[in-house]
Amino acid sequence: MNRISTIRKNIVRNKKILSTMKRRLVIWAVAVVTFCVFSYLIDPFDPVWKGYLDAPLKMILEDATWIIFFSIIISEVSIFIDRTLNKWLPWRNRTIKRLFIQCLLQIVGSVLIVIIINAIVDGTSVTLPEMDTRKEYTLLGQWIATNIVISLIISAFNTVDYLLENWKKTAVEAAQHKLRASKHKQAAMAAELQALKLQIDPHFIFNNLSVLSELILEDQQLGYDYSEKFARVYRYLLVNSKKDIIAVEEELKFLESYIFLIEKRIGEGVIFKIDIQEEYRSRFTLPLSLQLLVENAIKHNQTSKVNPLEIHVYTNPEGELVVSNTFLPLINKPDSSGVGLTNIIARYEILGYPKPVIEKTEDKFIVKLPLI
């Protein structure tokens, strides 16, 4: 495993070295071309250019060698200045100051290179042709101007490359930050969803346990049946509350057991009507959605034998699961645990499905759940 890791590191390092060398060669080539072009443009009518190509090959090769050598020196000096400034005075801190200092150092560096090389050549060469002082200073000035242009072009090249690399790095970091934020948001939404799915109204448990104890005293067989239904309902709550969606058929089976508990608890104070078309039974809905809506209807409405609460569960042509109940509001509003309708709407929103539609008329309260 360590060997594979070492090989990979070597491959990455070699790629970086190769990329750096390619970049260096490009910079050197730009410097050479700039030197030749600018040297010609600075005095295109100089008689030297007319017979230059007719000169001996050795002389041309010597000149080319000097041009390449000098271009490499000026390029490396320019790169060194830019890299040093990138560490000590980055562009993002003081742009105007950085631009001024960079240009000044490039110009000073170019002049110093020309002076140093010229001094070395004068001190070591004994075959230089004699020329008047005016001509000598003119050539020196042209040489300095050429070097300054090369230095500034290389500097501009390095600056653009540096800014592009930083832009890419910033873009990658922004994308990674956005990805991390998205993952954190998904994790938070998942935790919130899980909390919502595990919410069980405590009144449901207390009420049914109370009814169970009364039935056991009155009719043991009925108490046994009630305990079986209650166990089945509670098992469904524990197992399926962790799921995101569930088949409508499964939810209806659970609702059947849940209705049995309600009918034994309330009696003739509530009437249920289930009308789910066969084609929609294989579709999906949220677990416990029907139970929460039915419990919500019972909790907030009167349930009397004289005027029973009617709860109708059905599907409409739009492919929605509808829970409708007659509107018989209680005189005294009961305490609410905040589960029910709010829970369902929040779960649909977190999962990214269309939100339920709520309709309220003078005599009915209707909730339409989009089938999945």
Side-chain angles (χ1 to χ4, degrees), residues 72-280:
I72 291 175
I73 290 177
I74 196 69
S75 299
E76 291 302 315
V77 171
S78 180
I79 292 173
F80 174 76
I81 292 172
D82 288 344
R83 285 187 174 179
T84 303
L85 289 176
N86 287 340
K87 294 179 180 179
W88 297 102
L89 189 62
W91 282 100
R92 60 179 176 271
N93 293 345
R94 296 181 179 179
T95 306
I96 302 299
K97 184 178 180 180
R98 165 63 190 268
L99 180 63
F100 175 77
I101 293 176
Q102 180 168 311
C103 291
L104 180 62
L105 289 178
Q106 295 289 356
I107 293 171
V108 172
S110 301
V111 173
L112 288 176
I113 290 173
V114 171
I115 293 174
I116 292 171
I117 293 179
N118 189 59
I120 293 172
V121 172
D122 286 343
T124 58
S125 179
V126 294
T127 60
L128 290 177
E130 293 290 336
M131 65 177 67
D132 62 88
T133 305
R134 182 178 179 182
K135 179 67 174 177
E136 184 177 355
Y137 281 112
T138 300
L139 292 175
L140 186 63
Q142 293 175 349
W143 191 10
I144 291 175
T146 303
N147 293 340
I148 290 175
V149 171
I150 294 173
S151 181
L152 292 178
I153 289 176
I154 299 302
S155 179
F157 182 87
N158 291 328
T159 300
V160 171
D161 183 67
Y162 171 80
L163 295 177
L164 284 176
E165 286 295 326
N166 276 268
W167 175 78
K168 290 178 182 179
K169 184 178 178 181
T170 303
V172 170
E173 289 177 352
Q176 291 176 344
H177 178 74
K178 188 175 180 180
L179 181 61
R180 287 195 296 268
S182 177
K183 288 182 177 179
H184 291 163
K185 185 178 180 181
Q186 288 178 354
M189 290 174 66
E192 183 181 355
L193 176 61
Q194 188 65 19
L196 288 169
K197 289 190 290 186
L198 292 176
Q199 286 178 338
I200 299 175
D201 194 339
H203 294 293
F204 165 75
I205 299 175
F206 297 144
N207 290 338
N208 283 285
L209 289 176
S210 176
V211 172
L212 177 60
S213 61
E214 294 177 3
L215 289 177
I216 290 175
L217 294 175
E218 296 176 4
D219 188 336
Q220 290 187 354
Q221 182 59 44
L222 184 58
Y224 175 78
D225 293 338
Y226 191 91
S227 65
E228 284 291 311
K229 295 289 185 181
F230 179 66
R232 187 180 302 173
V233 167
Y234 197 71
R235 190 182 304 113
Y236 181 92
L237 290 172
L238 294 177
V239 173
N240 295 297
S241 63
K242 297 180 181 180
K243 297 179 180 178
D244 291 339
I245 58 175
I246 196 168
V248 173
E249 183 69 32
E250 292 295 317
E251 186 76 358
L252 290 175
K253 289 179 181 178
F254 161 70
L255 186 63
E256 181 183 347
S257 298
Y258 185 68
I259 289 174
F260 176 85
L261 300 181
I262 292 177
E263 289 177 340
K264 298 305 176 186
R265 192 179 80 199
I266 299 176
E268 298 179 3
V270 60
I271 299 174
F272 288 95
K273 183 180 179 182
I274 310 298
D275 185 17
I276 307 295
Q277 298 179 24
E278 193 66 31
E279 60 182 297
Y280 295 118

Side-chain angles (χ1 to χ4, degrees), residues 318-331:
E318 286 74 29
E320 296 172 318
L321 186 59
V322 184
V323 178
S324 171
N325 63 269
T326 51
F327 188 58
L328 304 170
L330 295 171
I331 298 175

